[in-house]
Amino acid sequence: MFAKRTNWNLETNRLSAALAAHRAAGKPLIDLTVSNPTECGFRYDEEGILNALRNPAALKYEPNPRGLAVARDAVAQYYAERGAVVSSNGIFLTTSTSEAYSYVFRTLCDPEDEILIPAPSYPLFEFLADIQDVRLVHYPLVYDYGWQIDFHTLEQAIKPWTRGVIAVHPNNPTGHFMKMEEIRKLNEICAAREIAIIADEVFLDFALREKQAATFAANSEALTFTMSGLSKMCGLPQMKAAWLIVSGPELLKEKALARLEVIADTYLSMNAPIELALPAFLGQRRDFQRQLVTRVEENLLELDRQLARQESCSRLKVEGAWNAVIRVPATRTDEELSIDLLASKGLYAHPGHFYEFPSDGHLVVSLIGPEAAFAKGIQLLFSMW
Ligand SMILES: Cc1ncc(COP(=O)(O)O)c(C=O)c1O
């Protein structure tokens, strides 16, 4: 009765089952995986946010496949402030970055075509690809005093049926930005083979002690789809607003825009109150980002203080985004370690294999949680060895 693409193994994995049992038993828990910014104690301009949702213009329906011009102009202005010229006509508003991915996969891929994705990276992509009948092929990121793309393996992974390369900039959970030389090389490879770059920039504004990273939004050498949205940038995942920007060689760009317009026109998934409020939401991002980056820096400092007092663990370099990767003794699988941490310490941390790390010995911890709980959690973690 059902489509093969939905034949997922929906059995709860051992760690999720252990977590559910732990919660059901009402046992104390320190959660080092928190990723919901609305639950981390940040101050929001509550009045400004709620007032922005009371715009009388929302009483009128003006369907537009790209989304209302006032919202797209605000997005173009965000890029202008980063020094990138983006025309409102090249922007499509979507309800999430995930929806933007689905538009791009639908525009580029026939069933079974392939998209290259980095490993390690965020696990959401597997389901997104399954739903669109797209195959994902990993290309490795290697860690050597910082993360970098293994371009040799990436090039070998490209087949005649490869349609795009995803670049997560900065990546989740490694927190590294693509460097100018890597962007140049990726452009060269994709332009020569006529495949697209799909740039996920949801964490672009969260750089630590680095200068502002370059955006792909005006990238012109290869056909490029750049995505971002309010969920991370403004800490407003509940508002469901994101966007997709098309850039690249003029002819390819025009063709992509025409196809995307049909897809977007079919769904018309945005809603007027949020579109009209988007300029105000974007306007409060700096205050949120300042608080979040301060939190991340404080938690990293605490992590380093505690790392200095023990000898079993270390951390990988973090350039930005919301997570840290901790190297732990690989005496068992990361999943077994996470289950044991939960049972013996009441601590929840993500195992590296959740993000396709190539080997055991990695835990991923969120850096955006409140400082006291983070410090306590790290103390419990290091008391394992
Ligand atoms: C790299 C990356 N891309 C996209 C998303 C999803 O973003 P959205 O809430 O806009 O769908 C996430 C969520 O954590 C993410 O980590």
Side-chain angles (χ1 to χ4, degrees):
M1 179 177 283
F2 298 108
K4 286 195 203 70
R5 79 171 76 81
T6 61
N7 280 347
W8 293 298
N9 176 4
L10 296 177
E11 264 172 46
T12 320
N13 65 44
R14 283 170 58 216
L15 178 57
S16 304
L19 180 65
H22 190 97
R23 286 202 160 114
K27 293 184 189 162
L29 177 72
I30 292 191
D31 186 353
L32 287 184
T33 72
V34 281
S35 60
N36 179 348
T38 65
E39 289 179 350
C40 291
F42 297 117
R43 270 177 297 99
Y44 289 88
D45 173 8
E46 292 176 10
E47 213 177 297
I49 290 172
L50 294 176
N51 282 343
L53 292 168
R54 289 188 52 85
N55 190 328
L59 296 172
K60 231 173 135 192
Y61 183 41
E62 289 177 21
N64 182 331
R66 284 171 166 75
L68 291 182
V70 61
R72 285 183 287 120
D73 288 349
V75 173
Q77 178 60 28
Y78 160 78
Y79 287 99
E81 288 168 22
R82 294 188 136 268
V85 180
V86 171
S87 102
S88 294
N89 189 50
I91 300 174
F92 287 84
L93 300 178
T94 59
T95 55
S96 63
T97 316
S98 312
E99 188 179 57
Y101 270 110
S102 76
Y103 285 13
V104 175
F105 289 171
R106 276 312 201 197
T107 304
L108 293 174
C109 299
D110 286 318
E112 310 299 307
D113 280 348
E114 292 181 354
I115 297 279
L116 303 190
I117 64 159
S121 203
Y122 186 65
L124 167 85
F125 302 126
E126 306 292 337
F127 287 102
L128 277 172
D130 279 356
I131 295 167
Q132 316 299 326
D133 299 333
V134 169
R135 283 183 196 272
L136 294 181
V137 175
H138 290 122
Y139 67 87
L141 303 172
V142 287
Y143 188 82
D144 187 15
Y145 298 101
W147 290 96
Q148 45 216 290
I149 295 176
D150 175 349
F151 275 107
H152 177 68
T153 311
L154 186 152
E155 283 193 88
Q156 285 188 327
I158 296 175
K159 302 284 181 282
W161 47 89
T162 304
R163 298 284 169 252
V165 180
I166 294 177
V168 188
H169 178 58
N171 190 32
N172 180 14
T174 61
H176 81 287
F177 287 87
M178 287 187 69
K179 308 298 174 294
M180 290 316 282
E181 178 53 25
E182 289 181 306
I183 294 175
R184 191 198 60 72
K185 185 102 205 249
L186 187 63
N187 263 316
E188 188 182 294
I189 292 170
C190 291
R193 294 176 171 77
E194 291 218 311
I195 58 181
I197 295 175
I198 302 160
D200 178 334
E201 296 187 341
V202 296
F203 291 108
L204 188 70
D205 288 350
F206 301 98
L208 304 176
R209 294 179 222 97
E210 313 262 332
K211 37 181 210 317
Q212 216 178 41
T215 170
F216 277 88
N219 194 52
S220 60
E221 281 174 58
L223 180 64
T224 304
F225 300 91
T226 303
M227 298 178 266
S228 190
L230 300 191
S231 70
K232 310 290 187 268
M233 180 187 288
C234 301
L236 295 172
Q238 74 279 32
M239 297 304 175
K240 305 303 296 176
W243 53 84
L244 170 63
I245 297 171
V246 186
S247 63
E250 213 45 44
L251 194 62
L252 283 176
K253 182 178 148 181
E254 289 310 318
K255 287 185 177 175
L257 285 174
R259 285 156 200 257
L260 273 169
E261 188 169 317
V262 176
I263 294 176
D265 197 29
T266 305
Y267 291 106
L268 291 172
S269 57
M270 285 304 287
N271 66 87
I274 295 294
E275 289 173 294
L276 292 165
L278 198 137
F281 294 163
L282 276 178
Q284 56 104 58
R285 74 182 185 279
R286 288 205 176 84
D287 186 35
F288 168 73
Q289 291 175 5
R290 228 174 278 124
Q291 294 177 64
L292 190 129
V293 170
T294 304
R295 174 78 57 83
V296 165
E297 284 173 346
E298 297 271 309
N299 282 340
L300 258 186
L301 271 177
E302 175 61 25
L303 177 57
D304 288 345
R305 272 193 289 269
Q306 295 201 33
L307 279 167
R309 295 200 289 265
Q310 55 80 60
E311 286 177 348
S312 307
C313 304
S314 59
R315 77 162 167 91
L316 305 189
K317 193 175 163 198
V318 184
E319 294 170 356
W322 295 8
N323 290 309
V325 180
I326 301 182
R327 267 206 179 124
V328 294
T331 48
R332 53 190 150 164
T333 69
D334 293 348
E335 187 184 40
E336 280 163 2
L337 172 61
S338 288
I339 291 171
D340 191 7
L341 280 170
L342 197 57
S344 61
K345 308 279 177 189
L347 180 67
Y348 183 43
H350 275 150
H353 89 91
F354 186 69
Y355 298 91
E356 300 284 346
F357 274 77
S359 61
D360 285 312
H362 301 93
L363 287 181
V364 175
V365 296
S366 166
L367 296 168
I368 70 164
E371 289 93 338
F374 181 83
K376 178 79 187 142
I378 296 298
Q379 197 185 340
L380 288 171
L381 173 62
F382 292 162
S383 69
M384 286 296 278
W385 295 280

